[in-house]
Amino acid sequence: MRWNLNKKVTAGFAVALAVMGIAEFISYRSTDRLVETSRQVNHTQQVLDALGTLLITMDDAETGQRGFLLTGNDSYLAPYDVAGNQVSDIVESLDKLTTSDPVQQRDLASLKSLIRQKQDELATTIALRKANKAIEADQLVLSGQGKKAMGSIRAVIARMQKREKTLMDARNSQWEASARRTTLLVAAGVVLAFAILLFAIFVLDREVEGRIRAEQTLRQSEARIRLLVESARDFAILMLDPQGRVASWSPGAERIKGYRAEEIIGQDWSCFFPAEDIQAGKPQKELEKALADGRSEDEGWRVRKDGSRFWANVVIAAVRDEQGQLQGFSKVTRDVTERRQAVEEIRQLNQNLERRVRGRTAELEMANKEMEAFTYSVSHDLRAPLRHIDGFAQLLVEEYGPQLSEEVQSYLARIQGGVKQMGQLVDDLLNLAHLGRKEINLQATGLGPLVEQVVNEMETEIGERAIDWKIAPLPFVECDPGLLKQVFANLLANAVKYTRPRERAVIEVGLAQENGQPTIFVRDNGVGFNMKYADKLFGVFQRLHRAEDFEGAGVGLATVQRIIHKHGGRVWAEAEIDKGATFYFTLQLPADPSQKAA
Amino acid sequence: MKPNCEMEILLVEDNADDVELTLHALRSDKLANKIVVARDGEEALDYFFRRGQFSGRSPDSRPSVVLLDLKLPKVDGLEVLRVIKNDPQTSAIPVVVLTSSKEEKDMVASYQLGVNSYIQKPVDFTQFRETVKQLGFYWLVINQPPPAIAQGKK
């Protein structure tokens, strides 16, 4: 576009110049011709003058002759003598002036001969008069010979004068026409050149205006960029020359690095690096990387003017012109010390946390081990003495029974009752403790068969009692079947136990919806309990009934709750004294692991 | 079926009360005429390898069953089990763990070491006596003991 324009403008100027040159040439030629014409006019005038002078001179000579002839006085001969000398000069000059015109030369030749005739007549008459032959002289005059010659001279001169004038007029009119044409041509050339120039100027002007606009836009964008660079307080934005010397500086750079522009411009940029990096040649490597890849990014320690360090994020880009020539490097530095400190703090916090978690885990593991050792010991050592008490009491009864009073036998029976209760308690407690450590083992389990199995195993406890079982169809669920069996065993055992006073016990197992969640319930028509104490129901060793009314250790429902919680579910009860109780539980199992992963 | 009078039972039990009650249960049915008691793990091993007080024991006499408690002084029951089950001379002898514990890890370890039966002593003496009688009857009367050759006799 620019090249094209240059060509256009140059061509315009060249054409304009050429047109002007041609006009100039034509004008020059025309002037030349004008000079020539005026020279010719001058020449014609000379010819005319000479012819006029010639006629006057001839008249003078004739006048002198007539005076002398009349008077005989010699003084009248003076003009004649002068004319005699002049005529030949005049004729000679006329001959020179008209050499290029054959017509005039011919007339001049006849004029010469007429002049000679006239001069002869004059000389003859004068000679006669001098010889005092006046009469003969008068006769000769009267013969009209001289007059006739004089008349011819006049006629020839008039003809020659007329011809010169005609020639001059022709030349003049020819010159005028040529001058008019020239003027027209020159005017046209000038107009054309002017038009071309105008066009060129218009094009140039438009281009210049465009460039001015572009320059203005560029200046505005430069100003904006400068504003941006200068207002970026958290970034040091600067330029390096191709050798790595600082070429420009920004307020952000001053804020971050501490140097003022006049201190740092022209300095090598390696002064921003710590000594060890300079030794390792890092500044040079950074520039080389920016040269090779166009860009290099680094995070590391940098040094301020006062020697303090900051953690910097630095991006360097090679800046090249349109020809690919390296102009320098742009460099943007950000002080990310705080971020690094934050990251470091987080890392340390994490470390601390991990250490504490490890510590706690170790403590927990230790506590767990102690607990295990404790339960292990309980299961061994607490049961053995009970067995011994029961065993020897039994042997007493068996081997010495007849010798013992009824009272002693009753005491022994109470001892054995206590042992039995304590044995059950130890077993229940061990079971509960065991649950805490046990991993649950999930399987798809049909709850129906599970309940059926539990009911069958309770046969001995039920004995002859009349129990109306209402077991609804139950779903398949993901659960630990062993643990769920324990849940049903405990809940159903409770139901059987607390319906003992009923002549006809009704025990129901079913499925309900609670808040849109499938809920299993076990309902009985037993003695129930006061809802005031419902919150104590699931606590270990918490009992709502006297032991002599209903035996039990207060571990069963605690175990149920622990199992249900292990399954992520919830268990609760509703009851009314003497109307019965209902126990509900849900099994909110952990989300499907495959879904979790997604 | 009559109990073989040649039959011998080794009871490994540290607690005197338990020894008394177990012997009482076993004798009440006259199941075995000879019950040897070892009071800790070391004595049990002495018995098997005829050392110490058992150095005079005939190499031909062998127990029909070993009733082994797990919690024992010096060498515990699992270690005794490990040694005799790993020795070709004793590995074929039936061993029944008779213990108070029902700890899963004890049961797993015992079975892994090759125990022939695992029985938890019931707290209730009536049940305990019944259990001991049944196991004595089973191992001494119902069960066919391993032939002598299989006991590693050279």
Side-chain angles (χ1 to χ4, degrees):
Chain A
M1 178 74 199
R2 236 176 80 196
W3 189 84
N4 199 7
L5 179 97
N6 268 348
K7 214 169 113 179
K8 247 195 312 201
V9 170
T10 309
F13 275 113
V15 169
L17 269 176
V19 169
M20 299 242 287
I22 290 165
E24 186 65 25
F25 177 70
I26 291 169
S27 146
Y28 169 76
R29 265 246 329 251
S30 156
T31 309
D32 203 34
R33 208 175 297 157
L34 187 64
V35 169
E36 170 68 18
T37 309
S38 82
R39 204 171 50 80
Q40 279 174 352
V41 168
N42 192 34
H43 178 261
T44 303
Q45 200 59 54
Q46 275 180 332
V47 172
L48 287 177
D49 285 351
L51 285 171
T53 309
L54 184 64
L55 190 58
I56 289 166
T57 309
M58 289 307 292
D59 274 345
D60 283 351
E62 191 173 50
T63 306
Q65 172 231 12
R66 281 188 193 154
F68 181 67
L69 285 182
L70 281 176
T71 65
N73 191 338
D74 281 350
S75 63
Y76 286 101
L77 282 178
Y80 166 78
D81 292 337
V82 171
N85 292 330
Q86 280 183 343
V87 165
S88 57
D89 289 347
I90 293 169
V91 170
E92 200 181 331
S93 78
L94 269 174
D95 190 25
K96 279 181 190 161
L97 285 169
T98 58
T99 38
S100 56
D101 188 344
V103 179
Q104 293 289 64
Q105 284 278 314
R106 245 193 337 267
D107 276 345
L108 189 61
S110 61
L111 190 59
K112 276 180 189 169
S113 92
L114 283 172
I115 287 171
R116 219 173 298 124
Q117 271 180 18
K118 181 65 184 176
Q119 280 178 328
D120 283 349
E121 185 255 347
L122 288 175
T124 308
T125 55
I126 289 168
L128 284 174
R129 184 69 177 83
K130 277 183 177 170
N132 292 319
K133 294 171 182 172
I135 295 152
E136 283 94 333
D138 284 345
Q139 279 176 328
L140 194 59
V141 172
L142 289 173
S143 69
Q145 190 186 341
K147 196 182 171 195
K148 194 180 157 198
M150 197 61 192
S152 297
I153 287 170
R154 282 183 207 282
V156 173
I157 285 176
R159 197 169 64 228
M160 281 180 76
Q161 279 179 328
K162 193 179 170 203
R163 177 168 166 79
E164 273 307 313
K165 276 183 185 158
T166 310
L167 271 173
M168 192 169 75
D169 284 348
R171 282 191 190 117
N172 271 343
S173 70
Q174 197 190 347
W175 178 79
E176 263 172 41
S178 147
R180 257 200 310 280
R181 216 168 38 238
T182 304
T183 310
L184 217 66
L185 260 172
V186 169
V190 166
V191 165
L192 184 61
F194 197 67
I196 291 169
L197 276 179
L198 265 182
F199 176 71
I201 285 169
F202 169 72
V203 169
L204 258 182
D205 185 58
R206 226 178 41 178
E207 171 65 11
V208 165
E209 202 173 303
R211 286 193 191 179
I212 287 172
R213 255 204 308 275
E215 209 168 290
Q216 230 165 17
T217 314
L218 193 67
R219 256 204 303 278
Q220 278 172 357
S221 101
E222 263 182 8
R224 269 201 300 272
I225 288 171
R226 189 177 305 279
L227 204 66
L228 194 70
V229 165
E230 288 181 356
S231 62
R233 285 175 46 79
D234 295 335
F235 292 85
I237 301 171
L238 53 111
M239 288 290 302
L240 303 176
D241 69 12
Q243 285 73 45
R245 288 184 298 248
V246 177
S248 81
W249 200 240
S250 71
E254 180 172 336
R255 200 184 72 84
I256 291 175
K257 295 177 192 276
Y259 295 96
R260 287 196 312 280
E262 61 268 26
E263 295 174 318
I264 193 67
I265 284 178
Q267 301 291 317
D268 194 272
W269 79 308
S270 60
C271 65
F272 303 140
F273 286 84
E276 65 268 20
D277 283 353
I278 298 173
Q279 260 183 340
K282 195 170 174 188
Q284 196 51 40
K285 280 179 198 159
E286 289 291 310
L287 292 189
E288 279 163 10
K289 184 168 185 294
L291 267 182
D293 306 344
R295 182 180 185 280
S296 89
E297 183 164 0
D298 179 48
E299 210 160 276
W301 289 114
R302 294 292 186 275
V303 181
R304 295 192 187 92
K305 185 190 171 189
D306 61 10
S308 60
R309 289 184 177 200
F310 66 99
W311 188 260
N313 173 282
V314 184
V315 177
I316 295 173
V319 178
R320 295 175 187 280
D321 65 11
E322 284 169 12
Q323 280 76 45
Q325 200 67 38
L326 181 69
Q327 298 293 296
F329 300 91
S330 74
K331 176 172 174 289
V332 179
T333 302
R334 196 151 47 111
D335 180 351
V336 291
T337 312
E338 279 175 22
R339 193 191 69 191
R340 184 183 150 85
Q341 276 168 354
V343 168
E344 183 62 22
E345 267 170 40
I346 288 170
R347 203 180 59 79
Q348 272 182 358
L349 283 176
N350 273 340
Q351 259 181 357
N352 283 349
L353 196 64
E354 270 171 35
R355 206 170 41 237
R356 276 161 61 186
V357 166
R358 273 200 301 275
R360 287 283 158 83
T361 308
E363 277 171 31
L364 277 175
E365 276 170 2
M366 183 70 82
N368 236 351
K369 275 208 181 94
E370 279 169 12
M371 181 71 184
E372 261 177 61
F374 173 74
T375 55
Y376 187 75
S377 166
V378 164
S379 75
H380 270 93
D381 301 344
L382 221 55
R383 292 159 56 90
L386 290 175
R387 190 169 57 250
H388 303 154
I389 296 166
D390 189 56
F392 291 114
Q394 183 66 28
L395 289 179
L396 259 182
V397 172
E398 284 176 9
E399 291 175 17
Y400 303 97
Q403 292 155 262
L404 297 174
S405 69
E406 255 182 51
E407 203 177 11
V408 172
Q409 289 195 23
S410 145
Y411 291 158
L412 283 171
R414 286 193 184 189
I415 289 171
Q416 286 188 297
V419 167
K420 194 177 222 149
Q421 201 182 330
M422 184 142 177
Q424 188 59 50
L425 184 60
V426 168
D427 283 348
D428 287 350
L429 275 179
L430 285 175
N431 188 28
L432 189 62
H434 194 65
L435 274 180
R437 304 200 303 270
K438 198 172 174 312
E439 292 282 320
I440 64 169
N441 172 26
L442 295 179
Q443 300 173 19
T445 308
L447 295 182
L450 211 61
V451 170
E452 206 175 309
Q453 206 182 335
V454 171
V455 172
N456 289 339
E457 285 171 10
M458 287 198 304
E459 235 172 284
T460 49
E461 287 176 66
I462 295 163
E464 298 301 310
R465 287 184 51 201
I467 296 180
D468 193 359
W469 294 97
K470 291 185 173 170
I471 298 172
L474 295 173
F476 272 78
V477 293
E478 279 274 309
C479 67
D480 185 313
L483 295 181
L484 252 283
K485 189 179 167 191
Q486 218 172 318
V487 167
F488 280 115
N490 290 356
L491 291 178
L492 292 175
N494 277 352
V496 168
K497 183 159 71 182
Y498 294 108
T499 52
R500 209 153 47 203
R502 299 282 176 265
E503 216 167 281
R504 186 152 203 93
V506 179
I507 300 175
E508 202 180 334
V509 182
L511 179 68
Q513 292 285 327
E514 282 284 330
N515 300 323
Q517 211 180 354
T519 305
I520 309 290
F521 65 86
V522 174
R523 181 172 295 146
D524 63 58
N525 62 342
V527 296
F529 58 87
N530 189 337
M531 281 298 282
K532 201 158 66 169
Y533 306 114
D535 57 327
K536 291 188 169 179
L537 209 54
F538 297 97
V540 186
F541 304 132
Q542 296 285 351
R543 299 217 60 216
L544 300 184
H545 299 276
R546 284 194 299 268
E548 58 255 48
D549 295 337
F550 297 100
E551 73 289 350
V555 181
L557 285 179
T559 306
V560 165
Q561 191 182 45
R562 184 164 283 189
I563 292 171
I564 296 301
H565 285 179
K566 261 185 127 54
H567 282 80
R570 200 164 72 84
V571 57
W572 70 99
E574 285 168 6
E576 206 177 324
I577 289 178
D578 277 337
K579 294 273 173 65
T582 309
F583 286 84
Y584 299 90
F585 67 86
T586 61
L587 294 173
Q588 172 99 60
L589 293 166
D592 185 9
S594 66
Q595 278 178 349
K596 210 182 233 172
Chain B
M1 273 193 221
K2 286 280 168 193
N4 189 334
C5 56
E6 293 288 315
M7 295 227 175
E8 191 172 290
I9 291 177
L10 174 66
L11 175 63
V12 188
E13 173 64 70
D14 64 318
N15 188 298
D17 292 338
D18 268 326
V19 172
E20 175 85 37
L21 292 173
T22 309
L23 291 180
H24 197 278
L26 284 171
R27 280 180 190 140
S28 64
D29 264 14
K30 298 184 170 52
L31 276 169
N33 57 355
K34 194 176 179 195
I35 299 170
V36 179
V37 178
R39 299 296 303 275
D40 59 41
E42 197 179 75
E43 277 188 28
L45 293 175
D46 285 349
Y47 170 87
F48 286 113
F49 301 104
R50 296 190 300 283
R51 297 181 304 223
Q53 56 169 304
F54 297 104
S55 52
R57 188 171 73 88
S58 153
D60 291 338
S61 75
R62 59 188 188 278
S64 297
V65 68
V66 178
L67 302 180
L68 179 66
D69 191 13
L70 289 183
K71 221 176 164 221
L72 297 169
K74 297 182 189 169
V75 180
D76 75 17
L78 287 174
E79 178 62 17
V80 172
L81 184 63
R82 195 185 63 76
V83 171
I84 61 177
K85 285 296 179 188
N86 277 324
D87 191 306
Q89 287 185 55
T90 52
S91 61
I93 300 170
V95 179
V96 175
V97 166
L98 187 62
T99 179
S100 297
S101 152
K102 204 173 66 167
E103 284 290 308
E104 200 173 289
K105 63 174 188 183
D106 283 344
M107 292 168 66
V108 170
S110 301
Y111 279 112
Q112 278 175 345
L113 288 171
V115 81
N116 301 79
S117 181
Y118 190 107
I119 285 156
Q120 189 195 22
K121 297 172 186 168
V123 169
D124 184 297
F125 178 67
T126 314
Q127 283 179 36
F128 174 75
R129 188 163 51 191
E130 194 54 38
T131 303
V132 172
K133 277 185 187 171
Q134 278 187 23
L135 82 89
F137 185 71
Y138 175 81
W139 287 107
L140 299 181
V141 180
I142 297 174
N143 187 51
Q144 287 296 328
I149 193 82
Q151 292 181 36
K153 258 179 81 177
K154 309 237 161 75

